[in-house]
Amino acid sequence: MNGAPSPAPARHGRKPGAPGRAGAAVCAAVLAFPHTVAGYLALLAYTAGTADPWERDAAAHSGFAAGTALVVVLVSALLTWAFVRAGWLRGWWYALPAVLAAAALPRLTVLAP
C-alpha cells in the first residue's frame, strides 16, 4: 500500500466528484423545457378533433403534433441519458420521457383520427 487515501464511496447513488444539488437542479431545469413542450404537443394531438369524419386537416394536424412530440421526447430522453450517466440525476428521470412517448405514440398510430 502506498499510503494514499482511497476515494470516498458514492453517496446516494451519485458518482464521486459529481456536482451535488446545484448540478441536479440545473439538469432538472434544462429537462423541464423539452418535457413541457412534448407534453403540450401530445395534448394538442389529442385535442385536435374533427368536425366531420372526412376532415383530413385535423388528422394531419394531430399526426404532426404527435410526431413532433415524439421527436422532442427523443431529444429529452438523450439528454436524460447523458445526465443520468454523468451522475447528476437519478434513474427515475427516465420515466418522464417514457410516459410522454407512451402518450404520443398511440395518437400517431392506433388512436389517429
Side-chain angles (χ1 to χ4, degrees):
M1 307 282 253
N2 59 6
S6 63
R11 295 174 60 188
H12 304 291
R14 298 183 193 271
K15 294 180 179 179
R21 293 180 191 253
V26 169
C27 292
V30 167
L31 286 177
F33 180 71
H35 289 321
T36 303
V37 170
Y40 179 69
L41 287 170
L43 178 69
L44 282 180
Y46 278 99
T47 58
T50 59
D52 298 319
W54 54 85
E55 188 177 351
R56 292 181 296 186
D57 289 341
H61 294 160
S62 174
F64 179 76
T68 308
L70 283 175
V71 170
V72 173
V73 165
L74 177 67
V75 170
S76 69
L78 289 174
L79 282 172
T80 302
W81 175 79
F83 293 155
V84 169
R85 181 135 171 103
W88 296 331
L89 293 177
R90 295 188 187 195
W92 68 265
W93 278 85
Y94 290 124
L96 295 173
V99 167
L100 290 169
L105 190 61
R107 186 60 173 181
L108 189 62
T109 56
V110 179
L111 300 177

